[in-house]
Amino acid sequence: MDLKSLALQPSGLAPGHRTCAGCGIPPIVRTVLRAIDGPKIVVNATGCLEVTTTIYPYSSWEVPYFHSVFGNAAASASGIDTALTFLEKKGLLPKGGKPKIIVFAGDGGTYDIGLQALSGALERGHEFLYICYDNSAYMNTGVQRSSATPKYAETTTTPLGSASIGKLEWRKPLTEIVVAHRLPYVAQASLSHLLDLATKVEEANSIRGPKFINVLQPCPTGWGFDSSQTFTLAKLAVETRFWPLYKVELIEDQLKWSITAPVANPKPVRDFLEGQSRFKHLFVPRNSQLLPELQSQVDRRWRELEQRSRSF
């Protein structure tokens, strides 16, 4: 599939939504839905996507849509899957067969509040594709830190000050946590590489069982950059190896890791960080030791990924 043919598919999400200028969520959603043929049902946790596409009495959705609360999107998808399986056994599904279930949730509803429900649904083996659009904080409720927030990022709950330099913890490695559930398909993708995302959705859609894709989605409001730079920052995250693109497939009970966007000559991580006001304090002399620490972490995690990709 190429981008032109992908763009000609029905998007499932109408224009007229109210996401912020420069928001990358709509292109992610449209890419995912365009890459899946046939009937589908969207389950959406409370968050940026939900509040901007379902403002009563309007809706931007052109496919069947179920709004769950913040923490139970995966549980809701489990219930829908169970109901559809029952209807399928009874021969009561309409023409077109069992619809595909696609879950959309942000990092707050996935890394944090929804992790228990997600883990349970994955362990039970329910049939759905879970898409996390990772904008690295609770953007919908005021840019509070989440466990997806990078170390030293400024948020409204990790503010800068005389005694604070932003968030002090490393971000949670959620994709690896999901891989530990030994799913048939897990991947990381980015807004900047939509064809890579579409390919991963197609691959996941061809496999039975639960699938998970974590997609980086820069947020102009929460990250602090001009709305024209969304795709540029998403691309820089990949080019600096801050956000590697890879997939993990379970083949003959072995996990096969594959880097889908090799970065032979990475740019320094500062190129990704310096365009965001949430990291402005990293570029003053008194904090000169922080950038090397972040660069070292990025380098170490890339080496681990390369080692895993060679071990199969």
Side-chain angles (χ1 to χ4, degrees):
M1 178 181 292
D2 57 40
L3 283 175
K4 183 176 180 181
S5 61
L6 184 69
L8 294 176
Q9 301 301 313
S11 74
L13 183 68
H17 54 76
R18 302 184 188 182
T19 56
C20 299
C23 179
I25 298 175
I28 292 170
V29 171
R30 290 187 173 118
T31 299
V32 171
L33 296 182
R34 283 170 170 156
I36 299 176
D37 293 327
K40 37 191 157 306
I41 296 172
V42 166
V43 178
N44 184 199
T46 295
C48 292
L49 176 61
E50 176 264 325
V51 300
T52 58
T53 59
T54 61
I55 300 174
Y56 183 83
Y58 306 106
S59 173
S60 297
W61 294 94
E62 300 175 326
V63 296
Y65 173 89
F66 183 93
H67 167 219
S68 76
V69 298
F70 222 147
N72 73 344
S76 299
S78 300
I80 293 171
D81 175 54
T82 301
L84 291 175
T85 300
F86 174 82
L87 293 175
E88 186 177 38
K89 289 180 179 179
K90 295 291 185 179
L92 298 176
L93 286 179
K95 186 178 179 180
K98 186 178 179 181
K100 300 293 184 180
I101 303 170
I102 307 104
V103 182
F104 291 105
D107 52 279
T110 305
Y111 283 68
D112 295 340
I113 300 174
L115 184 60
Q116 180 181 20
L118 174 61
S119 180
L122 300 181
E123 187 272 333
R124 292 191 300 271
H126 287 284
E127 182 82 23
F128 59 76
L129 171 60
Y130 194 108
I131 305 292
C132 173
Y133 57 90
D134 184 344
N135 53 27
S136 305
Y138 289 86
M139 301 306 183
N140 171 51
T141 55
V143 196
Q144 297 92 350
R145 62 89 83 192
S146 78
S147 60
T149 304
K151 191 172 186 179
Y152 299 133
E154 179 187 20
T155 71
T156 54
T157 49
T158 56
L160 299 180
S162 59
S164 173
I165 51 173
K167 185 182 177 229
L168 297 179
E169 301 81 17
W170 295 109
R171 68 192 314 277
K172 182 187 291 183
L174 178 69
T175 308
E176 296 168 39
I177 292 171
V178 175
V179 169
H181 289 72
R182 302 185 70 80
L183 303 192
Y185 194 94
V186 179
Q188 268 194 188
S190 171
L191 172 68
S192 60
H193 292 62
L194 290 178
L195 191 55
D196 174 80
L197 171 59
T199 300
K200 287 169 177 170
V201 171
E202 284 187 308
E203 291 174 346
N205 191 43
S206 68
I207 302 170
R208 290 191 61 84
K211 288 82 61 174
F212 178 91
I213 303 178
N214 200 3
V215 190
L216 183 68
Q217 192 273 298
C219 174
T221 304
W223 293 18
F225 61 86
D226 186 84
S227 60
S228 65
Q229 298 302 303
T230 303
F231 278 83
T232 299
L233 275 173
K235 188 177 181 182
L236 279 170
V238 177
E239 292 175 339
T240 59
R241 296 178 173 173
F242 177 88
W243 187 266
L245 304 188
Y246 63 91
K247 61 182 179 180
V248 186
E249 302 164 283
L250 188 62
I251 300 175
E252 296 180 352
D253 203 37
Q254 293 188 67
L255 294 174
K256 179 184 179 183
W257 297 66
S258 305
I259 298 173
T260 60
V263 185
N265 299 297
K267 297 179 179 178
V269 73
R270 67 175 296 139
D271 288 5
F272 168 64
L273 302 175
E274 64 185 351
Q276 308 171 48
S277 66
R278 63 177 179 160
F279 291 116
K280 60 183 181 294
H281 54 295
L282 301 183
F283 300 91
V284 299
R286 68 176 182 275
N287 293 326
S288 60
Q289 79 281 6
L290 301 183
L291 274 175
E293 179 188 356
L294 295 177
Q295 183 67 65
S296 177
Q297 172 77 345
V298 168
D299 294 342
R300 181 184 66 79
R301 293 188 65 78
W302 180 267
R303 289 194 300 270
E304 290 176 353
L305 177 59
E306 283 189 318
Q307 184 177 6
R308 288 165 173 162
S309 299
R310 291 192 296 263
S311 63
F312 184 77

